[in-house]
Amino acid sequence: MLTPELKIIKKIKSHSYSIKNVSIFPSGNLVSVSSDQFIIIYNDQFDIIQKIEHAHDSIIWDVQIKDEDNFATCSNDNSIKFWKKDKNENKFILKEIIENAHNIVYKILYTKKGNLISSSTDGIIKIWQKVNDKHQCITKLYHQGIVKSLLLCEDKNILISSGSKKTRFWDIRNYECLQIIVGSGADYGNSMKRINDDIIVLAGSLCFDYSLISLKEYY
């Protein structure tokens, strides 16, 4: 059997500095964020349909989509920003800013209920809930050290935070810390991905290996 040759089908010249993250809308449209402080939105053919210049005052670390008309971004400028599509102009505009949300906001993610979770260099994880059209912090979790990665497994009622050479497992029903794993690839530049229902993979930029962690005990 011949192995097919993989080819690059398209190269997109968009950002002027390193791209930090991308996320995909339900429609297939794409949004990317970068060190150049721009947000760029592409259609499902990867053509640029909107460019938001100077969206933040520093590096934009993450972008997370809530639904087809809403997404959030976070930055080195300590803020979280919420963007909403203006149906009249068919483009995204800034709707809300949480200033000084953290000391550098590295990671954000949405829950199924629409709450936002954020993490930072300050070692604190915050849960944000929208109250009267403004997001308010309703819970703080203390990781104790830089948190570079978050993973939410709502089917197992678990939030996982990783960084500063430790990984913490939180029960999202009461936000208690259930377990701490020291080491296991949890350095200052780590990444977590869920492979299947029961296994996550954890890797770090300063490590030469990665760890597989079982979630079987969490139901």
Side-chain angles (χ1 to χ4, degrees):
M1 182 176 177
L2 296 176
T3 302
E5 182 182 356
L6 301 179
K7 297 180 180 179
I8 297 172
I9 60 173
K10 188 171 186 177
K11 290 186 178 181
I12 305 167
K13 178 62 177 176
S14 53
H15 293 280
S16 57
Y17 292 98
S18 60
I19 296 172
K20 295 302 183 184
N21 218 330
V22 296
S23 196
I24 301 174
F25 291 94
S27 64
N29 288 356
L30 184 78
V31 57
S32 62
V33 295
S34 167
S35 297
D36 62 14
Q37 306 169 24
F38 285 20
I39 299 170
I40 299 181
I41 299 159
Y42 317 77
N43 62 20
D44 58 3
Q45 299 300 309
F46 305 106
D47 300 312
I48 295 174
I49 56 176
Q50 185 180 354
K51 182 180 289 189
I52 304 173
E53 300 183 0
H54 309 295
H56 283 266
D57 294 330
S58 188
I59 296 169
I60 307 174
W61 285 108
D62 199 11
V63 54
Q64 289 295 313
I65 289 170
K66 182 180 181 181
D67 53 42
E68 193 64 36
D69 298 324
N70 295 273
F71 68 87
T73 55
C74 65
S75 171
N76 244 41
D77 65 11
N78 306 337
S79 74
I80 300 171
K81 293 188 176 183
F82 298 88
W83 307 84
K84 184 176 179 64
K85 181 176 282 187
D86 184 319
K87 297 297 181 65
N88 294 325
E89 298 189 20
N90 195 32
K91 68 178 184 180
F92 285 91
I93 59 173
L94 180 63
K95 295 299 292 184
E96 183 187 351
I97 304 173
I98 303 175
E99 296 180 341
N100 299 313
H102 289 274
N103 178 23
I104 299 178
V105 194
Y106 271 128
K107 184 69 179 176
I108 50 176
L109 54 84
Y110 275 107
T111 69
K112 290 180 180 178
K113 292 182 178 179
N115 291 343
L116 191 79
I117 304 174
S118 61
S119 68
S120 169
T121 60
D122 57 21
I124 301 173
I125 300 157
K126 293 183 179 181
I127 317 295
W128 304 88
Q129 185 178 71
K130 199 168 185 179
V131 180
N132 297 326
D133 293 326
K134 296 291 183 181
H135 284 82
Q136 297 180 8
C137 179
I138 58 171
T139 304
K140 293 181 182 180
L141 308 178
Y142 294 89
H143 181 89
Q144 297 178 342
I146 295 172
V147 184
K148 288 296 292 287
S149 188
L150 292 172
L151 184 63
L152 182 62
C153 305
E154 290 191 89
D155 58 319
K156 295 183 180 292
N157 296 310
I158 294 296
L159 172 67
I160 308 168
S161 59
S162 195
S164 304
K165 301 183 180 180
K166 67 175 75 71
T167 302
R168 289 182 180 265
F169 295 76
W170 308 88
D171 188 330
I172 60 175
R173 293 167 295 189
N174 53 24
Y175 298 112
E176 290 184 2
C177 182
L178 299 171
Q179 185 177 352
I180 304 173
I181 298 177
V182 178
S184 303
D187 64 24
Y188 292 96
N190 61 297
S191 176
M192 283 189 295
K193 297 294 181 183
R194 193 171 182 178
I195 297 176
N196 55 40
D197 288 346
D198 295 324
I199 301 293
I200 65 169
V201 62
L202 176 62
S205 62
L206 302 180
C207 301
F208 299 100
D209 56 9
Y210 59 88
S211 300
L212 299 177
I213 300 175
S214 173
L215 299 176
K216 286 185 177 180
E217 63 269 34
Y218 298 113
Y219 288 99

